[in-house]
Amino acid sequence: VQLQASGGGLVQPGGSLRLSCAASGSIFRINLMGWYRQTPGKQREMVAQITSGGSTNYLDSVKGRFTISRDNAKNTVYLQLNSLKPDDTAVYYCNADAIVRGSGAWMNVWGQGTLVTVSS
């Protein structure tokens, strides 16, 4: 199972971006999907998570500005980033808990990261 993230870039403060992350491979089911971010010298932090049923959880500092969603048919998770601030600058990683088709094994998978830069 692999995750491919896209959608990062340079945006001015107050602007918006939409990140996407598609899972591929021998997937039976994906349970929790999420977005994390990391800046140099800091630990990776959870930004937003969403269950297969649509329940969500957010980092306090992004509540009301970021929205996580998913398309279970496409095994894809999205993160809409609005009202971006310079402090949101980071590499954003997607993550998923997946069950492998056939073996039934659980895998926790990370995407390759996509850089979001908020600057004027």
Side-chain angles (χ1 to χ4, degrees):
V1 178
Q2 301 88 34
L3 297 177
Q4 181 68 44
S6 61
L10 173 64
V11 63
Q12 292 186 341
S16 298
L17 281 175
R18 189 190 194 211
L19 307 182
S20 300
C21 177
S24 62
S26 298
I27 300 167
F28 174 71
R29 186 174 74 241
I30 297 178
N31 187 17
L32 191 67
M33 301 187 82
W35 289 94
Y36 292 70
R37 67 187 182 187
Q38 189 170 23
T39 54
K42 292 188 177 181
Q43 286 190 331
R44 193 172 295 186
E45 64 179 357
M46 187 278 294
V47 176
Q49 294 175 318
I50 185 167
T51 68
S52 57
S55 297
T56 58
N57 184 37
Y58 292 94
L59 178 68
D60 283 347
S61 62
V62 309
K63 287 180 181 177
R65 300 189 297 121
F66 293 5
T67 303
I68 189 170
S69 61
R70 64 190 283 174
D71 184 333
N72 290 330
K74 295 182 179 179
N75 290 324
T76 300
V77 62
Y78 307 95
L79 187 67
Q80 179 67 40
L81 299 78
N82 295 332
S83 303
L84 280 161
K85 305 174 181 180
D87 284 351
D88 296 317
T89 296
V91 177
Y92 284 72
Y93 298 89
C94 55
N95 179 266
D97 284 334
I99 299 177
V100 178
R101 186 181 301 277
S103 69
W106 279 97
M107 289 183 63
N108 183 263
V109 187
W110 289 95
Q112 84 283 11
T114 184
L115 177 62
V116 172
T117 303
V118 185
S119 175
S120 55

